[in-house]
Amino acid sequence: MSSVPVLRNYIHGEFAASAEVHDVLNPATGAVLARSPLSSQQEVDRAIAAARAAQKGWARKPAIERAGHLRRIAAKLRENVPGLAHTITEEQGKIAGLAEVEVNFTADYLDYMAEWVRRLEGEIITSDRPDENIFLFRKPLGVVAGNTIVIKPSEETPINCHLFTKLLAQTDLPPGVFNVVYGTGATGGALSGACRRGHGQLHRQRGHRQPHYGRGGRQHHQAQPRARRQGAADIKIMRKEIFGPVLPVQVVDGLDEAIALTNDCEYGLTSSIYTRDLSKALHAIREIDFGETTGV
């Protein structure tokens, strides 16, 4: 019987074991996939200190050099798509095809962000005062822009982050630029508190699942399909993010009502409209106040 792998934090370019760990479960079978650290406040503080210590040296590197690091990490991801995708499926339940898309998209996104170093330009602004020039320098956020990071992945899906970190460690990224601490919400709270005190940014991955109980109280790890009818349009399920296999459906009288209901939401990441009418698709894309709207 194969042993269960134990994940380790990644701080200042080195993997470090933690005193406490918890089990990471396969959501479909309940099998233990790995044991992940429950990082202490001291470990969080060490990761933040490593990121802060590395920041100035990282920011002083030419932007094109920082971009090169991202491209090398992207290449590592593309070399390991099957293994990473398999892990995502095992610990998260995503189907294999979409898991591979996720890995490839991540590599593409790293390359995309690396290209931005050539697109960020400053300005020279005419001043109202004589003999004065105003120079505008754009300093965006992000690793390619010179920032260092500490990541706290979801305690329920940390293995893909661990594999990503192992690949990253095979590159020549300077120590302290990228750090990982694992743990539950308590670790996230310690990290966010330290970020608030130090005016840093919090990079945190989310994940959530709950067991399903079938007949006789027996626990299952797969949600069973079911339909439930609701009447009011303002029920929570239509207005909140649902981290689970739930598809709320609302019957409307027309496209304008659908757009109004869509915009009546505090979230607005992505949306899609399915139609054969191109004009309706373009109308929805213009009117829906989301970051991204796709016509299908």
Side-chain angles (χ1 to χ4, degrees):
M1 183 176 180
S2 60
S3 60
V4 175
V6 179
L7 312 187
R8 294 179 293 168
N9 289 331
Y10 187 70
I11 301 173
H12 194 63
E14 295 182 350
F15 290 97
S18 295
E20 294 186 62
V21 296
H22 76 101
D23 291 342
V24 180
L25 305 180
N26 182 314
T29 66
V32 177
L33 298 175
R35 292 189 171 90
S36 182
L38 294 171
S39 299
S40 65
Q41 179 69 61
Q42 290 74 23
E43 289 169 307
V44 170
D45 290 343
R46 284 202 301 115
I48 292 173
R52 286 177 176 160
Q55 193 276 323
K56 288 186 178 180
W58 176 245
R60 281 195 294 265
K61 291 183 180 295
I64 194 66
E65 183 178 339
R66 297 195 299 266
H69 286 284
L70 293 191
R71 292 192 182 95
R72 288 189 284 279
I73 296 169
K76 283 288 184 183
L77 290 180
R78 293 191 179 96
E79 293 169 3
N80 293 272
V81 171
L84 288 165
H86 176 74
T87 296
I88 291 172
T89 297
E90 269 201 327
E91 70 174 350
Q92 188 184 106
K94 180 170 287 189
I95 61 175
L98 287 180
E100 290 192 3
V101 168
E102 183 173 322
V103 178
N104 282 306
F105 177 81
T106 302
D108 291 343
Y109 192 71
L110 288 172
D111 282 337
Y112 172 79
M113 296 308 298
E115 286 298 319
W116 269 101
V117 300
R118 294 189 180 278
R119 303 175 190 174
L120 296 173
E121 299 176 348
E123 296 181 48
I124 301 177
I125 303 173
T126 302
S127 174
D128 293 336
R129 298 177 181 178
D131 301 321
E132 180 182 73
N133 290 313
I134 300 173
F135 294 88
L136 176 63
F137 297 92
R138 300 184 185 276
K139 292 188 175 181
L141 301 176
V143 176
V144 75
N147 287 343
T148 55
I149 61 175
V150 178
I151 289 179
K152 202 296 281 187
S154 165
E155 63 270 25
E156 295 184 343
T157 56
I159 307 174
N160 68 89
C161 179
H162 178 69
L163 295 182
F164 173 85
T165 305
K166 289 176 67 176
L167 294 175
L168 178 144
Q170 296 172 18
T171 71
D172 56 349
L173 188 72
V177 173
F178 179 89
N179 306 273
V180 181
V181 288
Y182 300 94
T184 61
T187 303
L191 181 58
S192 61
C195 285
R196 284 194 296 271
R197 292 191 299 273
H199 305 289
Q201 284 187 295
L202 175 63
H203 293 262
R204 187 172 175 183
Q205 297 174 339
R206 292 196 298 177
H208 181 68
R209 61 171 175 261
Q210 291 182 335
H212 171 73
Y213 292 87
R215 294 180 179 177
R218 183 178 178 183
Q219 181 175 332
H220 299 280
H221 294 271
Q222 295 175 323
Q224 302 301 310
R226 64 181 62 188
R228 182 176 180 180
R229 186 171 183 175
Q230 297 281 358
D234 61 347
I235 56 176
K236 288 184 178 181
I237 198 171
M238 298 296 297
R239 303 167 66 89
K240 298 292 183 181
E241 288 186 309
I242 304 167
F243 294 97
V246 179
L247 178 63
V249 177
Q250 173 71 40
V251 178
V252 296
D253 291 330
L255 180 58
D256 289 338
E257 183 184 359
I259 292 172
L261 288 171
T262 300
N263 288 335
D264 186 23
C265 176
E266 62 180 302
Y267 307 103
L269 184 58
T270 62
S271 65
S272 299
I273 175 171
Y274 292 79
T275 178
R276 293 187 176 92
D277 190 324
L278 179 59
S279 63
K280 289 182 178 179
L282 294 175
H283 175 68
I285 289 171
R286 287 192 300 268
E287 297 298 324
I288 293 177
D289 297 328
F290 276 39
E292 177 182 333
T293 300
T294 304
V296 182

